[in-house]
Amino acid sequence: MPLLSRRDLEFCLYEMMDTEGLLQHPRYTDHSRETFSQTMDTAEQVAERYFAPHNQLADEKEPWFDGEQVHTIPEVKEAFRHYVNSGLLNARLDFDEGGMQLPHIIAAACSGYITCANPSSAAYPFLTMAAANLIKHFASDDLKSLYLPLMRTGIAAGTMALTEPDTGSSLADIKTSATPVDGGHYLIRGNKMYISGGDQDITDNIVHLVLAKIKGAPAGVKGISLFLVPKWLVDENGQPLKRNDVKLAGLLHKMGYRGTTSTVLNFGEQDQCVGYLIGEAHQGLKYMFMMMNEARVGVGLGAAVIGYRGYVESLAYARERPQGRHPSNKNPESKPVAIIEHADVKRMLLAQKAYAEGSIALCLYANHLIDRIETCDDKDQRKPLQELLDLLTPIVKSWPSEFGPKANSLAVQVLGGAGYIREYPVEQCYRDNRLNPIHEGTHGIQAMDLLGRKLWQSGSLGLQTLATEIQQTLQQAAEFDELHEHCQQLQQALALMHTTTQNLGVQLQQQGPDIGLANASAYLSLSGHIVVAWLWLWQATAAMKALQSGSEEDFYRGKLHGCQFFFRWELPKIQHWSNLLQSADDTCRTMQNNYF
Amino acid sequence: MPLLSRRDLEFCLYEMMDTEGLLQHPRYTDHSRETFSQTMDTAEQVAERYFAPHNQLADEKEPWFDGEQVHTIPEVKEAFRHYVNSGLLNARLDFDEGGMQLPHIIAAACSGYITCANPSSAAYPFLTMAAANLIKHFASDDLKSLYLPLMRTGIAAGTMALTEPDTGSSLADIKTSATPVDGGHYLIRGNKMYISGGDQDITDNIVHLVLAKIKGAPAGVKGISLFLVPKWLVDENGQPLKRNDVKLAGLLHKMGYRGTTSTVLNFGEQDQCVGYLIGEAHQGLKYMFMMMNEARVGVGLGAAVIGYRGYVESLAYARERPQGRHPSNKNPESKPVAIIEHADVKRMLLAQKAYAEGSIALCLYANHLIDRIETCDDKDQRKPLQELLDLLTPIVKSWPSEFGPKANSLAVQVLGGAGYIREYPVEQCYRDNRLNPIHEGTHGIQAMDLLGRKLWQSGSLGLQTLATEIQQTLQQAAEFDELHEHCQQLQQALALMHTTTQNLGVQLQQQGPDIGLANASAYLSLSGHIVVAWLWLWQATAAMKALQSGSEEDFYRGKLHGCQFFFRWELPKIQHWSNLLQSADDTCRTMQNNYF
């Protein structure tokens, strides 16, 4: 069973988005479509050989803690090692940093293979990459020269230690403290919870990036600083000297994603937890958000490819499984048809295709935007792209996280009884993917971020840029009569989004954020559906162009059908969300605690 | 933590539906509201004391097969024993059969407590009750007098053995054979799969109700017969004589509902599997459907109460968990609020309330209908009620099975990280409830049953009866100005359902079932939402009446708010489904296998 469809990835990379255009930029002169392809081959092979085979086993034999030490099955460590050796851990770094100097979009496609094969084992290298990236950008040269080599060679893994037992998503209220001491470092004291990879036996060392407040700091998020806290303190060569005072209080046992340890950590139980300030004091949240935004795009991609995995599995099952007959066939002696012939099974497969391929296109587009930003030397041109990326980040995180699990539920349903048992792989997809609407900012928090902040920043430049991008697609789509219906519908959807947004702007101004943000989740749904509809129209336009040359008709007709499904079965839902938003429906806000 | 809300159950029983009216019927003269209440007390106590405590344990330590024998944790057997001893196993039977002579609706409320506490341990007694009921109705006196006492005392449990590995939902194609032999019995040969409770160590014997085809029978469903196949052959006193040739090939390992064994059974590997024909040859499917219809209403109720369990848990969590502040509050030194104060958390709780309480009302209404049918001595009055029950059965099975799991997903989301870990109970609800859209006829099969069969039978008398029932509620609701908006909306919804149904009738006639049934799932969604909207308006009307007397304002205001949520956030979705149906959208049907 293939993990992702290379054909579909290359369609996104080269027929929708102009990934080859990046090759004009000086950073990519040593690259070519062939080197991109070879890197994806490598990722696919590493995924198939070292990640996929233990996906189920890591779920069955989840990590255990003997009171002293965490144990994971050895396959996880082996996969991590192969990932490091393949060079993928540093895919995006410059050649002179030991990297492959690849664009984000290619690195994302590679990550897609790994997560699709085994989301929980993928978490260890991915967290390491994200943490190293943050250190690279904000830490002192001393910290960088000591810790980055350890992380880039896989000797040390990384974590992000934000959440505390009492505060959850409310980072303003974290209580972990940092006290400056002689020698330039700090003593960290506090408890963190739900820390992925917070302890393990895969790497020799772990570098925790910990949010804490320096004594006397301002209240709220403005008093948060970021610290590098190693599991083992190291000498100047990076060799372990002694255990830092970071202790695993226990493991948490998840519904899915079981192979990734989820930990409760105690920092400084003996007042000896050494932490090093990253960047300036009280700027920690800003730094962390750089990592968070990257992680949010990554969560979206993870949700998308787990959704895709279920699609591929249920498609193969539906093609092979004979059962039942068409309703018009009353002859019980005729041969049963494969279940893919039943209209309702087609519906469930088409919905999965629409959700999963739409999500993958969305996440690749976000990476494409990052590449455009990074290769754009003109500040004025860069600004609108950055604003668009900011605007889309909550959608890129949330939309696949909502519709990936929906796709997985449909995959379970296509398999029926087989879908519900652990002897088949789709129920694990369903469990694994349920994490994604929760971590890296819940769905509700993304909605508030979108409607309360991103939509309005820089005079709504992000939204204007989105409209410009969509108009480009509409212009190209207008060349094809077959897409006329969809073009009209997307125009109307854009107009509806515009009206709704204006209306919400007035509500926020006149009635304040408690009322104006009360139905933020409906705005996230509305805008997510319009963005994904656009990406489907873009795919359909690329398919129409290709069909003119007459090749691969099945593949391109599939794209047109996927687009039609999204426009007919999904996009009309926006009217209802818009009505709720424009009427400032107060049902939820006015519900009283004691009425429940 | 309470399991179900007694207040809410009694609201359905006595303030919506006229359960006390049943007391006028001769069968219930020995009963009173007090005896009903006492029985529910018993069920609640049995549920709390013997079922709830091992719900999580049975999930962690699922049944295992040592190659010879299945093992379950001893708590399951103990719970079964207490259930039998409480009399609940025979709650609906007449006094002279050793029963409690209770109406269906009270028995259903009692079952709700048990399933809510522990769905997988509840399956063993529930399957036994359903199988015994079938034997009672269709088996010979000899079979009845031998096996019913065993089942009613819990010595033997029951199963329904329909599904085969190669045929799944397509019963027309089953291959299990039955060969008549001297002595009046049959030799059964074949394999069955996904048989719940197909083997266990809880009861001394097991009575399998097996669908098989007698050699030479007509092809398809018309050649299916029903057999009683005991695990142990018994003497005339019901004492075990020797093992029948029914062998456990293995256990299947489910995502949830883990405490219930799911088995692969081999019948007649040594050509010595004795089976007894129930009723007439080739009538097996008709008999089984009596059990199936009962089981389908039971599945709906199970999905509803698991949905409710998640609601109660997440509500309690949201009330206790302080986190974050209102958007307008920019003072980080102010105290965090309980998360129930956040509008988006209220939305998630209201949606759960609307889904779970709507589902419970729906399932109790189905049982109320059964009671009305059974206590109606006038055949002409009984007929429309029976047709209504037939029409509603696919909805009663499917709507809670779709929205119960949705409620559970929201419960997970309210708890956030805590919702995703097994240290809290909601993730198990989410896993357990995912079975319900699959077993006893998948969602797609229910949709075909509704649109292809139930809707049109007896000149659509069921639909007419539904309209009459809804009009009664509308008349009563019209007395209250506060319900005016909802009344109008439900009137329009009914009109839309009427138009859509007529349109589909024409499609079916003119274009045949392959086209006419292609979007059946959208019709199931449409009609389900309208029925549940009606039940919510009925609840709101009862609440308005009660509010006039001024008592329990919080409870009744909650009902009004739940109704408003359903009408504002859910009911508008029907327009989209109707559009797809009325346009005979062909997106799914025309998708080609090779386009995927």
Side-chain angles (χ1 to χ4, degrees):
Chain A
M1 195 84 59
L3 293 167
L4 298 176
S5 157
R6 179 66 67 89
R7 183 67 193 88
D8 195 59
L9 287 178
E10 295 195 335
F11 176 76
C12 290
L13 294 176
Y14 301 117
E15 295 175 72
M16 286 177 73
M17 301 162 209
D18 182 20
T19 302
E20 273 181 302
L22 291 173
L23 298 169
Q24 305 304 314
H25 190 270
R27 186 171 193 256
Y28 302 115
T29 44
D30 285 351
H31 278 293
S32 64
R33 190 158 158 173
E34 283 68 42
T35 62
F36 291 167
S37 210
Q38 284 155 9
T39 315
M40 287 192 279
D41 288 345
T42 301
E44 188 172 7
Q45 283 160 15
V46 170
E48 283 180 354
R49 288 187 198 159
Y50 304 109
F51 281 82
H54 72 281
N55 186 42
Q56 191 181 358
L57 184 66
D59 181 68
E60 283 165 12
K61 288 197 68 172
E62 68 190 324
W64 67 102
F65 180 39
D66 63 15
E68 285 293 316
Q69 176 73 35
V70 176
H71 304 273
T72 62
I73 56 169
E75 287 85 348
V76 183
K77 183 173 185 162
E78 199 193 336
F80 186 88
R81 190 53 44 201
H82 281 284
Y83 188 85
V84 172
N85 292 345
S86 74
L88 290 167
L89 189 71
N90 303 318
R92 279 166 18 199
L93 297 186
D94 287 348
F95 293 130
D96 62 15
E97 294 173 299
M100 298 166 91
Q101 203 156 314
L102 282 163
H104 281 260
I105 196 165
I106 299 298
C110 293
S111 298
Y113 277 109
I114 307 293
T115 307
C116 185
N118 189 328
S120 63
S121 289
Y124 299 106
F126 289 3
L127 283 164
T128 304
M129 288 152 74
N133 197 30
L134 200 155
I135 293 168
K136 171 183 160 181
H137 276 86
F138 301 109
S140 66
D141 287 341
D142 283 355
L143 284 176
K144 282 199 278 195
S145 62
L146 191 55
Y147 287 99
L148 286 182
L150 297 177
M151 298 175 84
R152 290 174 179 170
T153 53
I155 292 169
T159 77
M160 19 193 331
L162 288 73
T163 308
E164 299 183 3
D166 290 337
T167 58
S169 303
S170 182
L171 294 175
D173 296 308
I174 61 165
K175 294 197 187 76
T176 298
S177 66
T179 312
V181 289
D182 290 345
H185 63 267
Y186 289 76
L187 288 181
I188 309 294
R189 197 179 160 90
N191 308 303
K192 298 283 179 181
M193 191 169 180
Y194 302 119
I195 308 310
S196 294
D199 206 355
Q200 32 83 351
D201 59 355
I202 298 160
T203 56
D204 293 343
N205 204 347
I206 299 175
V207 172
H208 303 287
L209 297 183
V210 180
L211 291 186
K213 290 184 171 178
I214 299 170
K215 297 272 160 93
V221 294
K222 289 176 186 161
I224 297 174
S225 301
L226 180 64
F227 296 88
L228 188 158
V229 180
K231 176 179 174 180
W232 285 86
L233 298 170
V234 297
D235 67 16
E236 68 278 12
N237 300 314
Q239 294 297 312
L241 279 178
K242 63 177 255 201
R243 268 299 292 268
N244 199 358
D245 181 13
V246 182
K247 201 167 167 205
L248 179 66
L251 293 179
L252 300 162
H253 300 88
K254 301 191 290 305
M255 168 162 62
Y257 255 96
R258 294 189 179 193
T260 313
T261 54
S262 182
T263 61
V264 181
L265 295 177
N266 294 339
F267 292 87
E269 272 189 328
Q270 287 148 7
D271 280 322
Q272 292 178 22
C273 178
V274 175
Y276 307 99
L277 181 67
I278 293 181
E280 292 174 35
H282 316 322
Q283 299 297 314
L285 200 65
K286 194 178 77 186
Y287 304 151
M288 187 57 97
F289 259 93
M290 184 194 140
M291 181 171 172
M292 282 284 273
N293 281 326
E294 194 180 312
R296 285 174 175 181
V297 174
V299 167
L301 181 64
V305 298
I306 301 172
Y308 196 84
R309 169 93 200 276
Y311 168 54
V312 170
E313 295 281 351
S314 61
L315 178 59
Y317 185 89
R319 281 178 167 149
E320 283 165 20
R321 170 80 180 178
Q323 197 178 298
R325 291 160 191 83
H326 289 299
S328 60
N329 180 355
K330 303 295 182 199
N331 176 11
E333 305 203 53
S334 60
K335 238 178 98 179
V337 298
I339 61 170
I340 197 171
E341 299 301 323
H342 299 307
D344 196 55
V345 173
K346 287 186 190 179
R347 173 185 66 83
M348 294 190 281
L349 293 169
L350 255 178
Q352 289 182 69
K353 180 181 169 76
Y355 299 157
E357 294 182 6
S359 292
I360 288 175
L362 175 64
C363 298
L364 291 178
Y365 177 74
N367 281 282
H368 168 71
L369 266 184
I370 302 173
D371 288 324
R372 276 163 73 186
I373 293 164
E374 292 194 353
T375 56
C376 178
D377 303 319
D378 182 337
K379 199 179 152 193
D380 291 342
Q381 284 179 16
R382 210 161 51 222
K383 172 82 174 164
L385 297 174
Q386 182 62 52
E387 290 295 331
L388 177 55
L389 177 64
D390 283 359
L391 179 76
L392 289 182
T393 297
I395 294 172
V396 174
K397 195 274 172 181
S398 300
W399 202 91
S401 295
E402 182 174 354
F403 290 91
K406 274 197 182 160
N408 291 140
S409 182
L410 291 168
V412 168
Q413 196 68 19
V414 168
L415 271 75
Y420 195 66
I421 58 174
R422 277 137 47 213
E423 283 78 356
Y424 288 80
V426 290
E427 65 82 30
Q428 188 186 341
C429 295
Y430 180 72
R431 288 187 286 110
D432 286 350
N433 221 347
R434 187 63 189 80
L435 175 60
N436 287 315
I438 299 171
H439 67 164
E440 308 299 346
T442 63
H443 207 71
I445 283 174
Q446 302 298 327
M448 300 282 273
D449 181 44
L450 175 65
L451 182 57
R453 193 177 305 130
K454 298 294 175 60
L455 193 56
W456 315 108
Q457 81 187 23
S458 304
S460 295
L461 181 56
L463 190 61
Q464 291 161 35
T465 313
L466 176 65
T468 309
E469 293 271 301
I470 295 181
Q471 288 301 343
Q472 280 177 19
T473 301
L474 282 167
Q475 268 175 23
Q476 295 187 21
E479 289 174 32
F480 302 101
D481 289 345
E482 292 88 336
L483 303 179
H484 180 67
E485 172 194 328
H486 302 334
C487 284
Q488 270 200 316
Q489 208 185 332
L490 187 58
Q491 288 278 17
Q492 285 162 5
L494 263 184
L496 188 69
M497 184 168 171
H498 188 69
T499 317
T500 310
T501 307
Q502 279 195 318
N503 187 314
L504 285 166
V506 174
Q507 283 178 36
L508 281 163
Q509 272 192 328
Q510 296 186 346
Q511 304 187 274
D514 295 344
I515 291 178
L517 297 177
N519 298 328
S521 75
Y523 191 81
L524 183 62
S525 301
L526 171 92
S527 51
H529 255 48
I530 291 172
V531 167
V532 175
W534 158 50
L535 291 165
W536 265 113
L537 184 63
W538 190 355
Q539 293 184 68
T541 309
M544 285 303 299
K545 284 182 196 166
L547 278 169
Q548 289 179 323
S549 74
S551 66
E552 295 180 287
E553 178 151 349
D554 284 350
F555 175 78
Y556 293 115
R557 292 268 161 224
K559 284 291 178 192
L560 292 176
H561 234 92
C563 178
Q564 182 176 320
F565 181 87
F566 200 85
F567 275 76
R568 299 254 186 102
W569 287 69
E570 289 293 331
L571 189 56
K573 295 176 182 171
I574 62 171
Q575 186 63 56
H576 171 51
W577 295 319
S578 173
N579 293 348
L580 287 169
L581 289 161
Q582 295 209 52
S583 66
D585 183 78
D586 65 355
T587 310
C588 301
R589 189 176 54 79
T590 60
M591 179 69 179
Q592 301 298 306
N593 187 340
N594 43 336
Y595 291 177
F596 279 110
Chain B
M1 194 86 59
L3 294 166
L4 298 176
S5 157
R6 179 66 66 89
R7 184 67 194 87
D8 195 58
L9 287 178
E10 296 196 334
F11 176 76
C12 290
L13 294 175
Y14 302 116
E15 295 176 71
M16 286 177 73
M17 301 161 209
D18 183 19
T19 303
E20 273 182 301
L22 292 172
L23 297 170
Q24 305 303 316
H25 191 270
R27 186 170 193 257
Y28 302 116
T29 44
D30 285 352
H31 277 293
S32 64
R33 189 157 159 173
E34 284 66 42
T35 62
F36 292 167
S37 210
Q38 284 156 9
T39 315
M40 288 192 280
D41 287 345
T42 300
E44 188 171 7
Q45 283 160 15
V46 170
E48 282 180 355
R49 289 188 197 158
Y50 304 108
F51 282 80
H54 71 281
N55 187 42
Q56 191 181 357
L57 185 65
D59 180 70
E60 282 165 13
K61 286 198 69 174
E62 66 190 327
W64 68 102
F65 180 39
D66 62 16
E68 284 294 316
Q69 176 72 37
V70 176
H71 304 274
T72 61
I73 56 169
E75 287 85 349
V76 182
K77 183 173 185 161
E78 199 193 336
F80 186 86
R81 191 54 44 204
H82 281 284
Y83 188 82
V84 172
N85 293 345
S86 73
L88 289 167
L89 190 70
N90 303 318
R92 279 166 16 198
L93 297 185
D94 287 349
F95 293 130
D96 62 15
E97 295 172 299
M100 298 165 92
Q101 203 155 314
L102 283 164
H104 281 260
I105 196 165
I106 299 298
C110 293
S111 297
Y113 277 109
I114 307 293
T115 308
C116 185
N118 188 328
S120 64
S121 289
Y124 298 106
F126 290 3
L127 283 164
T128 305
M129 289 153 73
N133 198 31
L134 199 154
I135 293 169
K136 170 183 162 183
H137 276 86
F138 301 109
S140 66
D141 287 342
D142 283 355
L143 284 177
K144 282 199 277 195
S145 62
L146 191 54
Y147 287 98
L148 286 182
L150 298 177
M151 298 174 84
R152 289 174 180 171
T153 53
I155 291 170
T159 78
M160 20 192 333
L162 288 73
T163 307
E164 299 183 3
D166 290 337
T167 58
S169 303
S170 182
L171 294 175
D173 296 308
I174 60 164
K175 294 196 188 74
T176 298
S177 66
T179 312
V181 289
D182 291 345
H185 63 267
Y186 289 76
L187 289 180
I188 309 294
R189 196 178 160 87
N191 308 304
K192 297 283 179 181
M193 190 170 179
Y194 303 119
I195 308 310
S196 294
D199 206 356
Q200 32 85 350
D201 59 355
I202 298 160
T203 56
D204 293 343
N205 205 347
I206 299 175
V207 172
H208 303 288
L209 297 183
V210 180
L211 291 186
K213 290 184 171 179
I214 299 171
K215 297 272 159 93
V221 294
K222 289 175 186 161
I224 297 175
S225 301
L226 181 63
F227 295 88
L228 187 159
V229 180
K231 176 178 172 179
W232 285 85
L233 298 169
V234 296
D235 67 16
E236 67 278 12
N237 299 314
Q239 294 296 313
L241 279 177
K242 62 176 256 202
R243 266 300 290 266
N244 199 359
D245 182 13
V246 183
K247 201 168 167 204
L248 178 68
L251 293 178
L252 300 162
H253 300 89
K254 301 192 291 304
M255 169 162 62
Y257 255 95
R258 294 189 179 192
T260 312
T261 54
S262 182
T263 61
V264 181
L265 295 177
N266 294 339
F267 292 87
E269 271 190 329
Q270 287 149 6
D271 280 323
Q272 292 178 20
C273 177
V274 174
Y276 307 100
L277 181 66
I278 292 181
E280 293 174 36
H282 316 324
Q283 299 298 313
L285 200 65
K286 194 178 77 185
Y287 304 151
M288 188 56 98
F289 259 93
M290 185 194 139
M291 181 172 171
M292 282 284 272
N293 281 326
E294 194 179 312
R296 284 172 177 182
V297 173
V299 167
L301 182 63
V305 297
I306 301 172
Y308 196 83
R309 169 94 201 276
Y311 168 55
V312 170
E313 294 281 350
S314 61
L315 179 59
Y317 185 90
R319 281 178 166 150
E320 283 166 18
R321 170 81 179 177
Q323 197 179 299
R325 292 161 190 83
H326 290 299
S328 60
N329 179 354
K330 304 294 183 201
N331 176 8
E333 306 202 52
S334 60
K335 237 178 99 181
V337 298
I339 62 170
I340 198 172
E341 298 301 323
H342 299 307
D344 197 55
V345 173
K346 287 186 191 179
R347 174 184 66 83
M348 295 190 281
L349 293 170
L350 255 178
Q352 289 182 69
K353 179 180 169 77
Y355 300 156
E357 293 182 7
S359 293
I360 288 174
L362 174 64
C363 298
L364 290 179
Y365 177 73
N367 281 282
H368 169 70
L369 266 184
I370 301 174
D371 287 324
R372 277 163 71 186
I373 293 164
E374 292 193 354
T375 56
C376 178
D377 302 319
D378 181 336
K379 199 179 152 192
D380 291 341
Q381 284 179 16
R382 210 162 51 223
K383 171 84 174 163
L385 296 175
Q386 182 62 53
E387 290 294 332
L388 176 56
L389 178 63
D390 283 359
L391 178 77
L392 289 182
T393 297
I395 294 172
V396 175
K397 195 273 172 182
S398 300
W399 202 91
S401 295
E402 183 174 353
F403 290 91
K406 273 197 183 162
N408 291 142
S409 181
L410 291 168
V412 168
Q413 196 68 19
V414 168
L415 270 75
Y420 194 66
I421 58 174
R422 280 142 41 217
E423 282 78 355
Y424 288 81
V426 291
E427 65 82 29
Q428 188 186 342
C429 295
Y430 180 72
R431 286 185 289 110
D432 286 349
N433 221 348
R434 187 63 189 78
L435 176 60
N436 287 315
I438 297 171
H439 67 164
E440 309 299 345
T442 62
H443 208 72
I445 283 173
Q446 302 299 327
M448 301 281 274
D449 181 45
L450 175 65
L451 183 57
R453 194 178 304 128
K454 299 295 177 59
L455 193 56
W456 315 108
Q457 81 187 23
S458 304
S460 295
L461 181 55
L463 191 61
Q464 291 159 37
T465 314
L466 177 65
T468 310
E469 293 272 301
I470 295 180
Q471 288 302 342
Q472 280 177 19
T473 302
L474 283 168
Q475 269 175 23
Q476 294 187 23
E479 289 175 34
F480 302 101
D481 289 344
E482 292 88 336
L483 303 178
H484 181 67
E485 171 194 327
H486 302 334
C487 285
Q488 269 200 316
Q489 207 185 333
L490 187 59
Q491 289 279 18
Q492 287 163 5
L494 263 183
L496 188 69
M497 185 168 172
H498 188 69
T499 317
T500 310
T501 306
Q502 279 195 316
N503 187 315
L504 285 166
V506 174
Q507 284 178 35
L508 281 163
Q509 272 193 327
Q510 297 186 345
Q511 305 187 274
D514 296 344
I515 292 177
L517 296 178
N519 298 328
S521 75
Y523 191 81
L524 183 63
S525 300
L526 171 91
S527 52
H529 255 48
I530 292 172
V531 168
V532 175
W534 158 50
L535 292 165
W536 266 112
L537 183 63
W538 189 356
Q539 293 185 69
T541 310
M544 286 303 300
K545 283 182 197 167
L547 278 170
Q548 290 179 322
S549 73
S551 66
E552 295 180 286
E553 177 151 347
D554 284 349
F555 176 79
Y556 293 116
R557 291 267 160 224
K559 285 292 179 192
L560 292 175
H561 234 91
C563 178
Q564 180 176 321
F565 181 87
F566 200 85
F567 275 75
R568 299 253 185 103
W569 286 71
E570 289 294 330
L571 188 57
K573 295 175 182 171
I574 62 172
Q575 186 63 56
H576 172 50
W577 295 319
S578 173
N579 293 347
L580 287 169
L581 289 161
Q582 295 209 51
S583 66
D585 183 78
D586 65 356
T587 310
C588 301
R589 189 175 54 79
T590 60
M591 179 69 178
Q592 302 298 307
N593 186 339
N594 45 335
Y595 291 178
F596 279 109

